[in-house]
Amino acid sequence: MNLPMDPGLRSLVGADLAGMALSVNGAPQILHCAPSKRLVYALREDLGLTGTKVGCDAGDCGACTVLLDGKQVCACITPAGQAEGRNITTVEGLAEDGKLNTLQQAFLKHGAAQCGICTPGMLMAATDLLSRNATPTEAEVLDALGGVLCRCTGYRKIVEAVLAVASNDVVLDEAPVGAAVGSRLARLDGPAKLTGAEKFGADTIPAEALSLRIIRSPHARATFTLGDLEAFRAAYPQLEGIITAGDVPENSFAVFPTPKDQPVLADGHVRFRGEAVLGLLGGEDAIRAIPESAVPITWTVETALETSVAALAAKKNALHDFAPDNVLCRGRVVKGDVTRALKQAAFTAEGAFETTHVEHAYIEPEAGYAEVFEQDGKQRIRVFVCTQTPYMDKEEVARVLKLPADAVQVVPSAIGGGFGGKLDVSIQPLLAVAAWKMKRPVRIVYTRPESMVSTTKRHPAQMQVTLGCDASGQLSAVDFVGDFNTGAYASWGSTVANRVPVHASGPYKVANVKALTRAIYTNNAIAGAFRGFGVPQACIATEALMDDLAEQCGMDRFEFRLKNAIRAGDQTATGQTLAASVGLAQCLEALRGAWHNTLGDVARKNGSRSDSSGHGNIRYGAEVGRLRYGAGIACMWYGIGNTVIANPSTMTIGLRQNGRFILYNGAQEIGQGSYTIMPQIAADALGVSVALIDQIHGDTDLTEDAGKSSASRQTFVSGNATKFAAEDLKRQLCEKLGVSAEATLTLEGAVLVGRAESGEQRLDLAKARTDARGDIALGSGTFSPPTIALDADGQGVPYATYGFAAQIAEVEVDMDLGTVKVLHIHAAHDVGRAVNPTQVEGQIHGGVAQGLGLALMEEYISGRTDNLHDYLIPTIGDIPPITTYIIEDPEPIAPYGAKGVGEPALIATAPAIFGAIRQATGVRVAFAPCTPDRLRQLIKGQGT
Amino acid sequence: MHQTQYLRPTSLDEALLVLADRRFEVLAGGTDFYPARVGKPVDVDILDITRVSSLRGIRDEGRLFRIGAATSWSDLIAAPVAAPFDAQFAGLRAAARDIGGLQIQNAGTVAGNLCNASPAADGIPPLLALGARVELASSKRTRSVALADFVLGNRKTLRQPDELVTAVLVPKWRAGSRSVFLKLGHRRYLVISIAMVSAVAALDDAGRVALCGIAVGACSAVAQRLSGLEARLIGRPAREAASLVAAQDLKGLSPIDDVRGSAAYRMDAALTLVRQAVAQAVDAGAAP
Ligand SMILES: Cc1cc2nc3c(=O)[nH]c(=O)nc-3n(C[C@H](O)[C@H](O)[C@H](O)COP(=O)(O)OP(=O)(O)OC[C@H]3O[C@@H](n4cnc5c(N)ncnc54)[C@H](O)[C@@H]3O)c2cc1C
Ligand code: FES
Ligand code: FES
């Protein structure tokens, strides 16, 4: 490209109306923004190239990675001025002649994109590498991609994809007619994620939109008064509006009907640091320039209840009047007589365990807009937002605005990761209140610190647990007491308190169980839903004690678990008899070889002090070398869907005159693959090619309620609804054709052909009558998992089906530094049926990565780690090879047998790592995360 | 909001003239500048030095090497250095490879790291150990100060507002001197050090330590040289060196408790790292 000017000289005379010339994806462009503007916003706003994403604005996540003269840089910390006269390549510049390039194709084939928010950055980093080195080693891939964080994939499929470019291993797998389920069909929304075309929450801005900036409490607990807002507005003429508690028609919300304890904007009283107090409206830069200190708020700081212990001990000043003891709710499951069983047990093991706040750290901060519009003479409001639960958002927005539900339309954007963190409303009510008041579109994009300080976390847990077994190693008793710090507002606290007791005895057959939990209000960040709803915390405790018991019994840790594994026909702690699809024993058997190999490997690496006992339980003495190795194993189970509470999904599917099906898919895609899985299921139920199915996805005006994307429920629950809908449609079509319901349907262009034993019938669709939406026929299906309410002792059928898993971890511990390197994870999961094995593996990898983070590094401390610089999640270099073993013990009432895997993926990882650390070092880890300083202290404490 | 200036001179003289006139914030890679302003507009006048080509690259100036102030970490990794002196940069290069990810290394500069003066700046210990100096220029004068004197405290340096850091000056060590850098963090990439240590050593013909420099970072407001230990190692056989490191040698450090680790842990880990760094600096083959 030819650049006319000398930027240096010109700049000395100051700003220049000619703008800054540069080349973007090979085409000349002129930027007229300030040279200090972050390049990422110049690309996104001035040039409309929204493929480059923003996750942090601080260089920490790499989502904004672009190439500057062929080298990767973070566009969020590069001034636009430095791009002048240079060549920029963004994700939009990768496709060749409108076709995915080899790298993009490799990402698609290998399932390297899940939510897709990190994908542009990953692709650019990989492009940089491959331009320098066409045949990189794995280590070179890690080094080149080390600056981009991914929270979904666990990175392994990204590495696989980049390595696949050299061997051109990019041919997509087929999804055969009638066997789409079980195929490795590439994500149907993949191409949009790989080209930058996908629209996430921050990628669409209505014309004339005002920006909203929320002023938040700097105190964990305080009362406040607002000063003269008129004078404040007069001082800042750029301010176009303010919203306060007084502008909120119904200033309370919460996930559950009671208690609706959280205000949209605090009304004189704040209960956690980061709580929303008021909103400023105006141009983005203009409102950002207003100093926080200028906002007239007078604070009276109160003593905060910072921990569960403090909240329980407090005699006065409860967080909420309706909960004078600061207990939001209690959970309870009691079966048999634990006290007696523990007395009679040959061996018992007990311990206290603790975990901290964990942040979801999805790479996309909350973003979206709201706008008021008129339809059929009525005012309605549309909210465009990244969400896991469009239908709940709709109810919540309607409630807060005191509008009928049908006045609200929620249009989910593509979502850049959720993991439970986008299961509560965050920006939705704020945007709605502001847009309703201003009668103008209003947008907001949370900054990274704002996202972290204001949205939910994993519950910190304090658990006291005792396990008992008989002399033969048969588990006889589990006594579990757990307190879960739910923070300032209820959110999903009661879900955690109710789910944990059901799972507290682990995936084992135990006659006597007592599991008691409490969700406790404190002045901490709100704890809500996070992959596993408390079960990962509980699993850390019980699995550590399983190791204790195995050792006491002189049994191998693997055999001990296998002996106690719950099987079909056994009863759970809630008295539910598991009839089928109980694949834990198969998971363990699948790992038998890996377990023995890992033990052998560990013994060899540890040198002469090999495992002479043969039990894999040996503790090493004082003469250890600096690097020690260990293997650990853990099992888990997880109820799919809500705990007892009904959670129906409805799906509909139509056939159109153009000879294509249309699936109205309300199962929100959050990276887990529901946009791909539902069509796979529908295709097989119809007996047609998946390529014939179009979709309308998650617009509450257009799709039925398919519930939320949480509790690992979509494949099972919405999958069933999809299957039923497709079967219903097929029945209707066969009827129209006049063939039996067993007929095979095919489409020859716009002609529907039904072939049955009785013969062949044809229907010219182009001439067929349609409904108002254009569907010739519409099939509908609804499913809600059958459950039975729990009684006062927690007895009943809380879930219709469960997922099971066993995982092995191998670690290397630096005894002198306390650092842990995970060398390998083996993960065996009973998923009933893998509708899409690539996606199942992807979920497992991603879960393992989050489990590893939970185990070793993640600790959210409000005010100190609310950014991705100090809050550490695993990078590409921290995730070891993961070997997956997919076990398919089909669930009879699930679609093609398929259960969920989203949350099960994470649960066993941390306890397996802790078990491995224990074998390596001899110390039992009872606190997560096990950071180097904590582990070193434990190691020193035992005198080695 | 007043209209801020953003100047991009191409020569050093122009840059110094700008600074002589009034206060400008110097910007190089921007990797410290922008992260400090998340969610806030840029409201300062900026002097961007990345177009001053004379400030870029490493030059052999006879008795020392000059690392220009606009030299990025990636430039440093790639820069060829004559064989006998190459190994003295091994530590600094290892530090460079562990700064952020490649994006940060491609933009961030060595000089920016020193000017930002974070206690956890990875560039400081290897340069301290090598005995580097910092060159500062204003329109009136040019001076050079020892790095140890340049950094005054947590994010404080003795640079005057009208001065630009123009280069980092690294003395040539005896041919064959080897330096190492060890970084302790919670994860593999993109991690701020809990503690880091750099050591550089030259051996005499008899395999004894002839010269050495050892520095520890993130264990005090400013990274520290361990001069007592250095003195004790001189003249000692290489194979004994690591065993001579004692807890006493870290007495001058004053680590703090923070989210990355406790003070006690930092002391403990620093001792391990110093031993390992010394062992590796005196013997290429030493295992961790
Ligand atoms: C994601 C991420 C990871 C990081 N990881 C690490 C890490 O692992 N280790 C580490 O040490 N650092 C790390 N950093 C910090 C940073 O990248 C380095 O300190 C870098 O070397 C700074 O150089 P820069 O050119 O980008 O500085 P800039 O941001 O441009 O400037 C930094 C400061 O120095 C001043 N300055 C710069 N150059 C001059 C000059 N020539 N004369 C006078 N003043 C000057 C500026 O005014 C500013 O105050 C990381 C940063 C990010 C964003
Ligand atoms: S947005 Fe640039 S690194 Fe996160
Ligand atoms: S796919 Fe990487 S963050 Fe979601």
Side-chain angles (χ1 to χ4, degrees):
Chain A
M1 203 183 67
N2 221 348
L3 289 162
M5 63 205 58
D6 174 348
L9 278 182
R10 188 173 58 69
S11 63
L12 262 183
V13 253
D16 191 310
L17 293 175
M20 300 177 286
L22 71 166
S23 156
V24 180
N25 299 326
Q29 297 281 2
I30 308 275
L31 283 175
H32 291 283
C33 61
S36 63
K37 185 169 183 171
R38 295 160 182 261
L39 177 61
V40 70
Y41 294 108
L43 292 169
R44 290 173 56 88
E45 295 166 1
D46 299 51
L47 301 180
L49 295 172
T50 55
T52 304
K53 304 303 175 193
V54 176
C56 70
D57 263 340
D60 295 322
C61 74
C64 62
T65 301
V66 300
L67 304 187
L68 180 61
D69 287 342
K71 286 188 180 167
Q72 56 174 312
V73 295
C74 289
C76 73
I77 54 174
T78 302
Q82 288 187 1
E84 183 168 20
R86 301 173 73 181
N87 296 298
I88 303 290
T89 315
T90 69
V91 68
E92 288 94 343
L94 293 182
E96 292 153 7
D97 308 324
K99 290 216 319 257
L100 299 185
N101 74 9
T102 310
L103 175 65
Q104 290 169 311
Q105 187 83 1
F107 266 56
L108 186 58
K109 175 187 172 141
H110 294 274
Q114 285 187 23
C115 81
I117 195 82
C118 72
T119 309
M122 289 290 182
L123 288 169
M124 298 325 292
T127 302
D128 174 25
L129 168 70
L130 294 171
S131 71
R132 290 179 277 118
N133 179 354
T135 54
T137 62
E138 176 165 338
E140 288 166 337
V141 173
L142 301 187
D143 279 348
L145 274 56
V148 192
L149 297 177
C150 174
R151 191 58 155 167
C152 298
T153 64
Y155 302 101
R156 298 306 302 176
K157 289 193 178 283
I158 294 172
V159 176
E160 192 182 304
V162 177
L163 291 172
V165 172
S167 54
N168 210 23
D169 170 19
V170 301
V171 180
L172 300 184
D173 293 271
E174 305 268 332
V177 174
V181 169
S183 75
R184 291 181 178 267
L185 176 67
R187 299 187 72 92
L188 298 174
D189 52 355
K193 293 182 193 292
L194 292 161
T195 56
E198 187 86 293
K199 297 293 180 211
F200 291 86
D203 295 341
T204 309
I205 314 175
E208 303 295 301
L210 291 169
S211 285
L212 175 62
R213 172 181 163 203
I214 303 297
I215 303 296
R216 299 183 176 277
S217 169
H219 307 293
R221 182 167 179 149
T223 58
F224 68 90
T225 52
L226 297 179
D228 186 349
L229 293 178
E230 281 316 307
F232 171 55
R233 277 196 66 169
Y236 292 94
Q238 74 262 45
L239 203 50
E240 294 185 51
I242 298 178
I243 51 167
T244 67
D247 295 308
V248 190
E250 172 63 58
N251 196 9
S252 68
F253 69 91
V255 178
F256 291 104
T258 53
K260 292 276 181 200
D261 59 356
Q262 187 170 357
V264 175
L265 288 165
D267 198 357
H269 184 180
V270 292
R271 297 183 178 85
F272 74 101
R273 187 179 165 278
E275 184 159 359
V277 174
L278 58 76
L280 309 180
L281 289 140
E284 179 75 32
D285 291 347
I287 55 171
R288 291 253 168 239
I290 297 172
E292 187 128 352
S293 55
V295 185
I297 306 175
T298 310
W299 295 101
T300 308
V301 179
E302 298 183 346
T303 309
L305 298 173
E306 300 274 14
T307 61
S308 296
V309 174
L312 289 169
K315 294 277 178 290
K316 52 184 175 60
N317 301 332
L319 269 91
H320 300 277
D321 293 341
F322 59 80
D325 55 358
N326 290 317
V327 176
L328 163 66
C329 73
R330 293 178 160 80
R332 173 184 163 89
V333 166
V334 177
K335 182 173 91 164
D337 184 341
V338 163
T339 315
R340 203 185 59 200
L342 282 175
K343 229 177 255 153
Q344 292 172 353
F347 301 106
T348 62
E350 69 176 309
F353 298 84
E354 196 172 338
T355 69
T356 61
H357 282 105
V358 184
E359 156 67 23
H360 303 84
Y362 29 75
I363 303 302
E364 179 202 30
E366 290 71 9
Y369 68 82
E371 61 186 348
V372 177
F373 63 105
E374 228 177 76
Q375 195 175 29
D376 305 331
K378 282 199 215 115
Q379 292 233 304
R380 297 187 68 203
I381 185 160
R382 175 180 301 126
V383 183
F384 175 84
V385 61
C386 53
T387 178
Q388 293 179 247
T389 171
Y391 304 93
M392 283 172 57
D393 290 359
K394 174 175 159 164
E395 279 171 37
E396 207 82 88
V397 167
R399 175 192 157 84
V400 162
L401 292 184
K402 288 194 170 164
L403 290 174
D406 61 10
V408 181
Q409 178 191 18
V410 173
V411 181
S413 68
I415 168 174
F419 319 114
K422 291 172 182 165
L423 206 55
D424 292 73
V425 292
S426 54
I427 60 175
Q428 295 87 329
L430 293 166
L431 286 171
V433 166
W436 198 255
K437 174 172 178 178
M438 305 298 291
K439 296 292 183 265
R440 275 195 48 193
V442 174
R443 76 175 307 233
I444 194 167
V445 180
Y446 275 178
T447 63
R448 171 58 55 179
E450 181 173 30
S451 169
M452 291 181 76
V453 80
S454 66
T455 65
T456 61
K457 305 284 167 280
R458 182 182 294 286
H459 283 72
Q462 284 176 304
M463 300 164 288
Q464 178 70 42
V465 189
T466 311
L467 264 53
C469 69
D470 67 18
S472 77
Q474 192 70 52
L475 269 182
S476 55
V478 172
D479 185 348
F480 179 101
V481 180
D483 281 338
F484 292 80
N485 174 349
T486 209
Y489 297 105
S491 180
W492 295 88
S494 59
T495 304
V496 168
N498 288 320
R499 188 176 268 275
V500 168
V502 174
H503 293 84
S505 50
Y508 306 112
K509 188 181 170 186
V510 194
N512 304 283
V513 177
K514 188 170 86 186
L516 307 178
T517 56
R518 291 183 290 195
I520 296 158
Y521 281 122
T522 66
N523 291 114
N524 289 155
I526 306 165
F530 192 163
R531 217 169 184 176
F533 286 107
V535 179
Q537 294 95 306
C539 193
I540 286 172
T542 45
E543 289 298 304
L545 298 176
M546 288 294 283
D547 284 352
D548 266 359
L549 283 185
E551 189 170 72
Q552 291 182 49
C553 296
M555 282 179 76
D556 176 271
R557 289 170 284 164
F558 173 92
E559 298 298 343
F560 182 68
R561 285 172 170 83
L562 184 58
K563 179 184 177 83
N564 286 292
I566 197 162
R567 292 161 197 262
D570 288 345
Q571 248 199 17
T572 69
T574 70
Q576 176 180 2
T577 301
L578 299 179
S581 192
V582 190
L584 180 61
Q586 293 103 296
C587 289
L588 282 165
E589 289 297 356
L591 292 182
R592 185 180 284 280
W595 177 245
H596 288 290
N597 290 340
T598 307
L599 286 181
D601 199 35
V602 160
R604 190 173 44 73
K605 288 180 186 158
N606 282 330
S608 57
R609 295 166 298 275
S610 63
D611 181 0
S612 53
S613 71
H615 299 327
N617 293 329
I618 193 159
R619 291 181 179 181
Y620 292 99
E623 85 287 28
V624 295
R626 181 159 158 196
L627 295 182
R628 304 297 303 164
Y629 298 84
I633 184 165
C635 299
M636 79 93 226
W637 66 324
Y638 195 75
I640 306 299
N642 291 357
T643 314
V644 177
I645 302 169
N647 58 143
S649 278
T650 299
M651 296 288 241
T652 51
I653 181 166
L655 178 64
R656 300 223 149 158
Q657 286 179 320
N658 61 0
R660 298 184 61 79
F661 295 92
I662 180 138
L663 176 64
Y664 299 93
N665 181 355
Q668 183 57 32
E669 167 68 53
I670 58 170
Q672 89 284 36
S674 61
Y675 191 79
T676 307
I677 281 167
M678 300 307 156
Q680 285 181 273
I681 290 172
D684 280 8
L686 286 162
V688 303
S689 161
V690 79
L692 285 174
I693 301 177
D694 296 324
Q695 294 187 76
I696 287 185
H697 191 69
D699 172 333
T700 58
D701 275 9
L702 299 176
T703 66
E704 300 296 324
D705 185 350
K708 52 204 166 37
S709 289
S710 76
S712 306
R713 58 179 289 285
Q714 291 295 21
T715 300
F716 173 46
V717 184
S718 296
N720 253 340
T722 302
K723 182 162 177 273
F724 297 161
E727 287 166 353
D728 181 32
L729 177 63
K730 185 175 177 196
R731 240 183 334 266
Q732 294 180 35
L733 294 176
C734 289
E735 211 163 284
K736 269 191 205 294
L737 285 165
V739 294
S740 70
E742 287 73 48
T744 316
L745 299 183
T746 49
L747 282 143
E748 293 172 6
V751 177
L752 178 68
V753 184
R755 289 190 185 85
E757 273 175 22
S758 54
E760 181 184 298
Q761 297 292 334
R762 305 171 77 84
L763 179 66
D764 185 354
L765 298 173
K767 300 202 182 94
R769 291 237 319 260
T770 71
D771 64 13
R773 277 205 301 206
D775 295 323
I776 292 160
L778 187 73
S780 172
T782 297
F783 178 72
S784 184
T787 57
I788 297 172
L790 302 181
D791 67 14
D793 277 337
Q795 299 298 296
V797 176
Y799 309 101
T801 188
Y802 296 78
F804 296 87
Q807 294 186 1
I808 293 171
E810 182 184 354
V811 303
E812 174 189 280
V813 179
D814 183 321
M815 299 295 282
D816 290 352
L817 294 175
T819 49
V820 176
K821 187 166 156 197
V822 181
L823 301 177
H824 203 118
I825 297 281
H826 295 271
H829 285 256
D830 168 23
V831 300
R833 177 81 194 276
V835 177
N836 189 319
T838 302
Q839 297 201 355
V840 169
E841 290 158 6
Q843 287 297 304
I844 294 173
H845 290 184
V848 164
Q850 289 184 3
L852 188 150
L854 169 69
L856 299 178
M857 61 184 82
E858 298 190 32
E859 183 165 10
Y860 174 77
I861 304 169
S862 183
R864 292 214 274 161
T865 65
D866 28 34
N867 58 62
L868 294 176
H869 212 59
D870 297 309
Y871 186 84
L872 301 179
I873 65 171
T875 68
I876 199 168
D878 298 298
I879 306 303
I882 301 167
T883 309
T884 53
Y885 306 75
I886 298 179
I887 305 301
E888 297 183 308
D889 185 348
E891 166 57 52
I893 64 162
Y896 303 101
K899 311 184 280 193
V901 69
E903 290 158 290
L906 169 149
I907 297 169
T909 309
I913 291 172
F914 289 165
I917 291 174
R918 178 175 176 170
Q919 190 190 12
T921 64
V923 302
R924 182 166 88 190
V925 179
F927 192 101
C930 179
T931 50
D933 60 340
R934 291 198 179 106
L935 182 55
R936 175 67 182 148
Q937 195 170 358
L938 288 172
I939 291 170
K940 279 172 81 172
Q942 68 163 12
T944 53
Chain B
M1 260 193 322
H2 83 287
Q3 190 64 43
T4 58
Q5 296 254 5
Y6 188 102
L7 301 185
R8 288 165 288 164
T10 49
S11 77
L12 182 57
D13 289 346
E14 285 172 333
L16 297 181
L17 272 176
V18 170
L19 287 183
D21 187 38
R22 65 186 167 85
R23 196 179 172 108
F24 271 77
E25 198 82 15
V26 177
L27 182 87
T31 63
D32 280 317
F33 180 89
Y34 282 97
R37 290 170 171 79
V38 174
K40 297 189 190 101
V42 173
D43 54 1
V44 293
D45 294 324
I46 292 175
L47 173 70
D48 179 338
I49 59 166
T50 54
R51 282 174 200 262
V52 183
S53 51
S54 63
L55 291 180
R56 188 126 188 213
I58 301 188
R59 265 208 324 264
D60 184 337
E61 298 198 332
R63 297 184 49 198
L64 51 79
F65 290 97
R66 162 182 293 270
I67 304 175
T71 307
S72 71
W73 294 107
S74 295
D75 292 342
L76 180 93
I77 293 166
V81 171
F85 306 105
D86 195 54
Q88 83 169 60
F89 283 101
L92 188 57
R93 288 212 179 102
R97 274 190 289 269
D98 270 349
I99 295 218
L102 274 189
Q103 297 94 327
I104 305 301
Q105 293 160 26
N106 284 339
T109 60
V110 184
N113 190 247
L114 307 187
C115 291
N116 191 57
S118 156
D122 284 325
I124 294 181
L127 287 167
L128 263 189
L130 287 166
R133 299 179 69 80
V134 176
E135 183 183 81
L136 297 121
S138 70
S139 58
K140 295 191 213 78
R141 63 168 180 168
T142 298
R143 58 175 175 151
S144 91
V145 298
L147 174 58
D149 299 327
F150 175 74
V151 185
L152 300 177
N154 184 0
R155 302 190 187 267
K156 281 206 286 282
T157 70
L158 52 62
R159 180 179 84 88
Q160 297 301 304
D162 69 339
E163 282 181 313
L164 193 66
V165 168
T166 45
V168 182
L169 308 174
V170 181
K172 270 189 188 164
W173 279 55
R174 177 186 297 213
S177 300
R178 159 178 308 280
S179 77
V180 298
F181 174 79
L182 301 174
K183 169 167 176 164
L184 173 61
H186 288 89
R187 64 179 181 188
R188 176 61 192 88
Y189 296 107
L190 289 175
V191 68
I192 302 304
S193 304
I194 307 170
M196 66 285 201
V197 172
S198 185
V200 50
L203 303 185
D204 64 18
D205 294 344
R208 287 182 304 248
V209 179
L211 286 169
C212 72
I214 303 160
V216 181
C219 289
S220 40
V222 183
Q224 301 284 315
R225 284 270 298 249
L226 304 183
S227 353
L229 174 61
E230 291 168 7
R232 257 191 308 118
L233 294 183
I234 302 294
R236 305 302 292 262
R239 71 192 131 70
E240 278 178 19
S243 65
L244 295 173
V245 178
Q248 278 291 93
D249 294 316
L250 306 187
K251 255 191 8 221
L253 302 179
S254 50
I256 55 163
D257 291 324
D258 68 10
V259 291
R260 289 190 265 275
S262 66
Y265 172 67
R266 283 197 160 93
M267 276 304 230
D268 185 62
L271 183 59
T272 299
L273 294 173
V274 170
R275 279 202 183 110
Q276 184 181 336
V278 167
Q280 289 179 4
V282 298
D283 174 9

